[in-house]
Amino acid sequence: MMPSLDNAVAVPRQAQTRAAGQERARELYFALYADPLNNARAGEAYLREQIAAVQDIPADLPPTLAQLPAWIEARSEAVGIQYREYLAARKGGAPRRYFHTKAHALNFIKSVAPTKLVDGSWLYGMLRHWDNPDFHPLIKTYLEELGEGVPDKNHVTLYRKLLATHGIDNWEQLSDEHFVQGAIQLALGHNAERFLPEVIGFNLGYEQLPLHLLITSYELNEFGIDPYYFQLHVTVDNAATGHAQKAVQALLDLMPQVGDRAAFYKRVLDGYRLNELGASTNSVIANFDLQDELVTVLAQKSTVGKNMHSDYCRVAGRSVNDWLAEPGQIPGFLAALESAGWIKRGEEVANSRFWRLIEGERAEMFGVFSSYEQQVLRDWIVSVPGSTVKPERTLTWRARQRTLDNLGQHAERSTSFPERGLIRRRAARDTDSNNELGLLEQRVAAAAGKPEAMALLLELMTPANHHGAAGLMGTRMYTQLLDS
């Protein structure tokens, strides 16, 4: 989580990112994800640029290690007080602080996807130090990010499910600013030997509980969106026994006893400051504009749809294909649809002919728009000043789960992966996945010793692989072997 207490200003962060080579973030992100071996050096160069860019950013870490526990406790207390004040204000009738519409909330989930889909990756390089107990706090933090191999607890698996549930795709097309944090995390994970102090410092900053995490969890729940991914981070990042405490312990254990402690700590501060680069929770929420997002959605659709419409349907004297020929025409197309009565803003969506084309049993454009994209359009139609349309009545996520429990319809458990445990039950071995996992068992069992077995498992636990079936099983094996 970010070092600031939820009051960061978006503009300076963006300016810092541009100075640090923001325009290369997305390209590097996917390169490190797909082929880290051949792109690690590029990641190293990128990190050095980022570190140079954060030198003037204040760091609120205490000057001595002895003060760290008290610092974390004070931060946690401050966040708790601010959250109580937020809850009191909401109870007193204050509006949501972050999300104005459900589309706004879902856009947040989309906008932070590049970071969340590599959750924990900055610690990947720690795994090779399994035989050094000083690295165990960081290793165990990484394993917990991976759910210790349990799919329902693996953070990336949880986030992928959240995106799929709400039809959120095309996150890969977000601007480079959205990929800065993910690129930094992947670069740290694949260059850990050269940047150990920075990894420690980054981890120390990221694992502090921020106010925005508590508020997003609360407001997502209000919109009927499962907040579990975010709520899980509230619990695992706790300052008493969670990742925040492990982050301090790792720094204490790995601080050199003979070498230049001051130089090491300065590099820790650099890593801590890296949390301040790129798009943040606060900036992506503040920068959301409903019409801009709808224009983005339609512009992405136009790449395919510009040749798919018949000429008999015309809007303001022009064919739909003509309107969609250039993405820059989309705002004018929306205005033309509204002027022609195809869209009636401020009224129920069913009154808009365009809406009836995309939603309903006989809708001619059924399936063209995902559930997320439909939500953006719905909110844009009804959310105008002076509208008398009543907001959608939505059960909170937790209320819906209680209703399902009362009806005996418990949430489905994942059946896509083998159950927890070093050795799976052997009832079914007739699928390719199970055959692959059986082969993994054989290879680990045939290893000449623990070092060879751990080296084999490391390759399955990369940021790109750990959430697959083999990666999850490899994580379970590594977790069991770590302390054996």
Side-chain angles (χ1 to χ4, degrees):
M1 310 313 155
M2 302 306 171
S4 62
L5 287 181
D6 200 51
N7 57 359
V9 179
V11 173
R13 285 177 61 107
Q14 294 166 350
Q16 293 155 7
T17 303
R18 284 194 294 271
Q22 169 186 317
E23 67 279 357
R24 301 200 324 274
R26 181 168 59 181
E27 179 183 354
L28 180 65
Y29 176 97
F30 289 112
L32 284 170
Y33 191 85
D35 188 7
L37 184 62
N38 289 318
N39 292 285
R41 288 294 186 182
E44 177 187 352
Y46 187 76
L47 282 176
R48 297 199 186 281
E49 291 179 8
Q50 309 309 304
I51 291 168
V54 300
Q55 293 303 303
D56 295 332
I57 299 177
D60 62 344
L61 284 176
T64 67
L65 296 183
Q67 295 172 297
L68 270 175
W71 173 80
I72 287 182
E73 183 177 350
R75 284 180 56 89
S76 181
E77 177 70 14
V79 168
I81 291 171
Q82 292 177 59
Y83 186 54
R84 288 204 305 270
E85 292 171 348
Y86 165 82
L87 293 176
R90 292 299 309 280
K91 187 176 182 179
R96 296 184 185 93
R97 182 177 299 184
Y98 284 170
F99 306 126
H100 303 302
T101 63
K102 186 173 183 178
H104 192 180
L106 293 176
N107 178 263
F108 159 72
I109 292 172
K110 173 184 176 180
S111 297
V112 298
T115 303
K116 303 307 183 185
L117 291 174
V118 293
D119 203 355
S121 60
W122 65 93
L123 293 173
Y124 169 68
M126 303 296 102
L127 293 181
R128 69 188 62 197
H129 298 287
W130 56 268
D131 57 346
N132 185 341
D134 290 343
F135 283 85
H136 282 200
L138 296 178
I139 291 173
K140 289 183 177 179
T141 295
Y142 186 68
L143 294 176
E144 288 169 7
E145 298 284 343
L146 274 54
E148 297 180 333
V150 181
D152 289 343
K153 292 292 189 290
N154 180 286
H155 293 186
V156 172
T157 298
L158 288 170
Y159 210 82
R160 284 159 59 96
K161 181 179 179 181
L162 185 62
L163 293 172
T165 296
H166 297 284
I168 300 173
D169 52 18
N170 288 327
W171 60 268
E172 298 93 340
Q173 305 304 317
L174 291 166
S175 71
D176 280 88
E177 182 188 1
H178 294 84
F179 289 87
V180 170
Q181 272 297 302
I184 289 172
Q185 293 175 18
L186 288 167
L188 286 171
H190 291 297
N191 289 280
E193 301 305 312
R194 296 181 178 88
F195 294 93
L196 177 60
E198 288 81 5
V199 169
I200 294 171
F202 184 88
N203 184 68
L204 184 61
Y206 201 91
E207 298 296 356
Q208 303 307 312
L209 179 64
L211 177 62
H212 65 67
L213 188 61
L214 295 162
I215 295 177
T216 53
S217 297
Y218 188 90
E219 296 190 3
L220 290 173
N221 174 61
E222 289 185 302
F223 280 111
I225 300 169
D226 184 0
Y228 180 63
Y229 171 89
F230 301 93
Q231 186 62 43
L232 182 62
H233 284 75
V234 172
T235 57
V236 301
D237 291 345
N238 76 84
T241 60
H243 291 180
Q245 189 276 333
K246 288 184 175 69
V248 173
Q249 189 61 50
L251 174 56
L252 296 175
D253 291 343
L254 294 169
M255 175 68 72
Q257 300 302 309
V258 178
D260 190 338
R261 292 168 64 88
F264 189 93
Y265 194 59
K266 180 183 182 302
R267 291 180 63 186
V268 169
L269 291 176
D270 289 341
Y272 181 84
R273 293 184 182 101
L274 289 176
N275 282 280
E276 292 295 339
L277 295 180
S280 69
T281 291
N282 294 315
S283 68
V284 299
I285 291 172
N287 294 336
F288 176 77
D289 181 273
L290 187 57
Q291 173 146 334
D292 287 348
E293 180 63 11
L294 179 58
V295 169
T296 297
V297 167
L298 293 177
Q300 290 172 344
K301 296 293 181 188
S302 70
T303 59
V304 174
K306 63 185 177 182
N307 297 315
M308 299 296 178
H309 296 80
S310 301
D311 286 340
Y312 73 82
C313 179
R314 309 184 77 79
V315 178
R318 299 173 59 184
S319 70
V320 175
N321 285 342
D322 187 21
W323 278 112
L324 300 180
E326 296 292 337
Q329 298 181 139
I330 298 300
F333 181 46
L334 284 172
L337 287 171
E338 189 174 355
S339 295
W342 283 69
I343 293 177
K344 297 183 178 180
R345 299 195 66 193
E347 299 184 20
E348 296 288 352
V349 290
N351 296 339
S352 292
R353 182 181 177 186
F354 185 74
W355 177 264
R356 296 196 300 272
L357 289 174
I358 68 170
E359 202 276 334
E361 293 182 4
R362 301 297 296 271
E364 288 92 334
M365 295 171 61
F366 177 80
V368 171
F369 290 82
S370 70
S371 57
Y372 166 69
E373 292 163 345
Q374 289 185 35
Q375 189 67 52
V376 171
L377 178 60
R378 173 190 288 275
D379 287 345
W380 181 76
I381 291 174
V382 303
S383 300
V384 294
S387 172
T388 59
V389 178
K390 294 181 179 179
E392 293 181 85
R393 188 176 183 276
T394 304
L395 282 176
T396 68
W397 173 264
R398 293 188 178 90
R400 184 166 46 174
Q401 296 309 110
R402 288 195 297 270
T403 300
L404 291 174
D405 286 344
N406 291 336
L407 294 174
Q409 300 176 13
H410 301 283
E412 293 183 7
R413 300 189 63 178
S414 175
T415 58
S416 301
F417 301 98
E419 63 187 52
R420 188 177 187 181
L422 182 60
I423 304 299
R424 300 162 294 116
R425 290 183 180 175
R426 301 175 182 270
R429 285 289 186 93
D430 56 348
T431 67
D432 290 341
S433 176
N434 281 326
N435 287 335
E436 183 181 31
L437 299 182
L439 180 61
L440 173 58
E441 287 179 346
Q442 294 171 22
R443 288 184 176 177
V444 172
K450 187 173 179 178
E452 183 179 330
M454 296 299 256
L456 172 63
L457 296 173
L458 284 179
E459 297 304 314
L460 300 173
M461 298 169 65
T462 67
N465 294 331
H466 67 73
H467 47 86
L472 289 163
M473 185 173 179
T475 302
R476 295 196 296 275
M477 288 180 163
Y478 183 101
T479 300
Q480 183 165 340
L481 288 172
L482 180 64
D483 294 318
S484 64

